[in-house]
Amino acid sequence: MTRNDTIAGTVLGAATLAMGLIAGSFYVFACAVMPGLARSDDRVFVEVMRDINDVIQNPVFLLGFLGALVLTGVSAWQLRGEPYRRRVWAALAVYALAFLVTVGFNIPLNNGLEGAGEPADLREEFEGAWVVWNVVRAVLSTVALGCLGAALVGYGRNRRDWASAGPSAG
């Protein structure tokens, strides 16, 4: 393996880690946060979602959210000649859709929740649509994670095969 192969494997691993963190974030919202908030009254629901929308805009979350996209893109480029490259490109395409869902639906819904109005009305316009789009992005990012995991397995096999071939293979 060359130094470039090791860098490519590191980027693929980092992309997989970032994707796992983001898929897990969307999953937790789908399975726990939103069902828990669904039990609250309208005022509490709106206040808590506003607080979440405020605090989630932090460097750590953004690093994972944007990093999953950028690292997967870089990895797809680096591995363009490898037999498992299609899995990385598939991960990039699927996560790009999840990213677009977030930017096109979830963020505008979050912004709409910031407006003035009765909590019941704000919740009515927000909750159902936001939950549906969150589930969509959770599924998409989980599929992307699976694709990256499969690519990591391919990378490991490729590396093992190269190492077992010995110095005469190069």
Side-chain angles (χ1 to χ4, degrees), residues 1-7 159 162:
M1 283 269 136
T2 68
R3 182 170 185 266
N4 287 342
D5 293 331
T6 301
I7 291 170
R159 189 173 175 123
W162 186 88

Side-chain angles (χ1 to χ4, degrees), residues 64-134:
F65 181 65
L66 296 173
L69 185 64
V70 171
L71 289 166
T72 302
V74 169
S75 184
W77 179 255
Q78 289 176 324
L79 300 172
R80 63 191 178 277
E82 298 297 332
Y84 47 87
R85 70 188 177 277
R86 288 184 182 94
R87 293 179 181 124
V88 182
W89 284 102
L92 179 60
V94 172
Y95 185 64
L97 281 174
F99 189 90
L100 291 173
V101 165
T102 301
V103 171
F105 297 101
N106 292 91
I107 290 174
L109 287 165
N110 291 347
N111 294 341
L113 198 59
E114 293 299 320
E118 289 296 315
D121 295 336
L122 292 171
R123 182 177 185 172
E124 178 70 27
E125 290 179 27
F126 175 86
E127 186 176 18
W130 196 94
V131 166
V132 166
W133 288 115
N134 182 66

